[in-house]
Amino acid sequence: MKTILVTGGAGYIGSHTCVELLNENYNVIVVDNLCNSCEESLKRVERITGKNIKFYKIDCCKKRLLEKVFVENKIDAIIHFAGLKAVGESVKMPLEYYQNNLISTLNIIDLMRKHDVKSLVFSSSATVYGDPKSVPIYEDFDLKVTNPYGRTKLMLEDVLRDFANVNKDFNIALLRYFNPIGAHPSGLIGEDPNGIPNNLMPYITQVAIGKREFLGIFGNDYNTPDGTGVRDYVHVCDLARGHVLALKKLFTNSGLVTYNLGTGKGSSVLDVLKGMEKACGFEIKYKILERRPGDIAQCYASCDKAYKELGFKAQYSLEDMCRDSWNWQKNNPNGYKTKNKILVK
Ligand code: NAD
Ligand code: UD1
């Protein structure tokens, strides 16, 4: 049985990936400092799967502590989710973002080399494409970023490409996620943002549950079919499955590989709103506001490469994503409740 170290495994995408890994009979070790999550998510993963997770509450920036995990366990591969991810916050606190995201990842790579762990899946983002020249977006499009968060992802992709160039026996998957939404169909785990959500789906579900008065739609004058922004929303369980498929690819000694993970289909803000109204069975209030600075009109993936090389194809529809997001929000109106509200350390 192979052992996978999942950093940031208590978070939104990490917890769903732990479910997939356990269901596929991998041994799972999680390292998380719980700066944006809580241990309850892991307890719920154990409830869903009936299997145990070995958990270390460690900051990946603290190399000496992190090394303990490599010494105590025989690790076959790492999925590295740990990182800070809020674009607006990264503009206000760039140093914290560079410190946390860069140092944690450099530590992971160095410890992999020292302890002979050859396979790594890295969480990248569609944000590395900036404002793409056209849609759908292919993996070989130009890369350019506009904020510190995005820059950490692009810098780390560069670090990993440079590292892989001279370390041919290492296998690395750069996965560029589009817009993950939805939750595990059990309603036990899901997205649990701190404070006022920045992203569309958690904002809509909080309006639906009565925590916020209305959804502000950031612009309806884009060059898109209904004027609102178009994105590639992908169910978090599909994304989680994509990680398991990427791991299997790495175990064939693939070298460095890069994949978009999305659905290949664009949906507008109004499409998502309508989907959520259908899931809830009532109308959700909204107002049209100004465009949000930095937003782009359209962003959706070509997932042909992930399909051809990994066999990845998203299975959940927008309707499924809305149903599962609502199911999670309705069953957990205050999320996991006990989150630490510290940024790092
Ligand atoms: P999340 O905040 O829910 O999960 C990240 C986890 O990492 C949290 O549990 C947090 O406590 C932990 N963490 C952060 N810094 C750490 C450190 N130094 N040491 C140990 N643990 C640390 O976020 P998520 O949505 O699950 O995202 C996971 C990864 O995917 C991130 O790297 C993010 O940048 C990337 N990503 C997310 C999205 C998205 O829309 N959610 C899109 C593209 C890429
Ligand atoms: C955001 C991040 C991006 C990251 C991506 C996936 C920003 C500027 N960009 O992008 O770096 O890769 O998440 O995590 O934060 N919208 C509203 N009202 C809201 C919220 C959003 O109308 O209250 C609209 C946006 O204008 C956009 C769409 O909904 O058209 C999706 O927004 P969001 O969920 O924030 O994701 P992205 O903008 O794709």
Side-chain angles (χ1 to χ4, degrees):
M1 193 189 277
K2 284 193 160 56
T3 296
I4 315 299
L5 169 61
V6 183
T7 74
Y12 174 45
I13 307 172
S15 55
H16 289 81
T17 303
C18 287
V19 170
E20 285 295 321
L21 289 168
L22 290 166
N23 284 343
E24 292 268 329
N25 288 321
Y26 289 100
N27 231 341
V28 175
I29 301 171
V30 166
V31 167
D32 200 304
N33 65 357
L34 305 181
C35 72
N36 195 37
S37 55
C38 59
E39 216 178 323
E40 175 64 17
S41 64
L42 296 177
K43 298 214 173 86
R44 296 200 188 177
V45 169
E46 292 183 333
R47 215 167 114 193
I48 291 168
T49 59
K51 294 181 180 165
N52 294 326
I53 291 174
K54 191 167 178 186
F55 175 57
Y56 291 86
K57 183 172 182 286
I58 288 177
D59 185 335
C60 295
C61 294
K62 297 189 173 152
K63 198 171 177 181
R64 280 227 314 270
L65 295 180
L66 187 59
E67 183 154 22
K68 196 169 107 99
V69 183
F70 287 75
V71 170
E72 288 179 4
N73 302 281
K74 168 83 195 77
I75 297 164
D76 293 290
I78 300 179
I79 307 183
H80 180 45
F81 291 108
L84 300 174
K85 62 165 183 176
V87 173
E89 188 177 67
S90 80
V91 174
K92 291 187 195 122
M93 316 177 72
L95 194 58
E96 281 76 6
Y97 270 68
Y98 289 119
Q99 277 177 332
N100 191 65
N101 292 2
L102 300 185
I103 293 172
S104 60
T105 310
L106 294 174
N107 285 345
I108 291 283
I109 304 167
D110 200 35
L111 290 171
M112 284 177 72
R113 187 170 55 170
K114 185 166 172 195
H115 293 273
D116 207 32
V117 181
K118 298 285 189 205
S119 299
L120 172 71
V121 177
F122 174 68
S123 294
S124 188
S125 166
T127 197
V128 298
Y129 296 114
D131 192 354
K133 62 181 181 197
S134 58
V135 280
I137 299 170
Y138 292 87
E139 285 84 352
D140 61 359
F141 271 26
D142 288 347
L143 304 179
K144 49 188 180 315
V145 285
T146 53
N147 57 68
Y149 163 70
R151 248 182 300 280
T152 67
K153 291 294 176 194
L154 187 49
M155 283 175 174
L156 289 166
E157 281 204 4
D158 284 335
V159 167
L160 289 165
R161 277 186 285 266
D162 288 342
F163 177 79
N165 263 339
V166 286
N167 292 281
K168 302 283 185 204
D169 51 339
F170 279 78
N171 303 300
I172 298 172
L174 308 177
L175 300 185
R176 296 177 180 153
Y177 316 149
F178 281 66
N179 291 56
I181 59 171
H184 191 267
S186 64
L188 285 171
I189 56 172
E191 188 171 13
D192 186 14
N194 270 331
I196 303 172
N198 298 307
N199 296 115
L200 179 65
M201 183 51 97
Y203 204 102
I204 297 183
T205 57
Q206 290 198 6
V207 176
I209 201 88
K211 277 192 173 179
R212 320 234 162 246
E213 206 188 327
F214 62 88
L215 169 73
I217 295 184
F218 299 143
N220 66 350
D221 57 352
Y222 283 105
N223 186 16
T224 59
D226 65 22
T228 65
V230 166
R231 297 291 183 274
D232 188 338
Y233 297 96
V234 54
H235 197 294
V236 66
C237 293
D238 274 328
L239 202 59
R241 205 169 35 82
H243 288 74
V244 176
L245 294 171
L247 265 188
K248 288 182 177 160
K249 173 83 179 172
L250 296 185
F251 291 140
T252 66
N253 296 325
S254 63
L256 184 135
V257 288
T258 305
Y259 299 107
N260 287 339
L261 291 184
T263 60
K265 187 173 175 292
S267 304
S268 73
V269 177
L270 288 172
D271 290 334
V272 178
L273 185 74
K274 279 184 222 132
M276 275 307 291
E277 288 183 336
K278 191 169 173 213
C280 304
F282 51 80
E283 277 187 17
I284 296 171
K285 271 198 205 163
Y286 72 91
K287 285 186 191 168
I288 305 295
L289 305 179
E290 293 292 297
R291 290 182 178 193
R292 180 171 66 179
D295 271 0
I296 56 177
Q298 304 200 66
C299 174
Y300 58 89
S302 161
C303 299
D304 294 355
K305 191 175 172 206
Y307 179 62
K308 275 189 208 123
E309 296 185 16
L310 302 180
F312 172 80
K313 194 166 175 28
Q315 287 168 358
Y316 291 89
S317 66
L318 183 61
E319 192 175 338
D320 300 329
M321 298 182 222
C322 291
R323 179 202 60 217
D324 292 340
S325 289
W326 177 234
N327 188 36
W328 154 254
Q329 178 73 80
K330 187 173 68 183
N331 290 328
N332 305 269
N334 298 312
Y336 297 114
K337 285 197 194 88
T338 54
K339 285 211 308 184
N340 297 329
K341 291 203 169 47
I342 48 164
L343 188 61
V344 268
K345 294 184 183 87

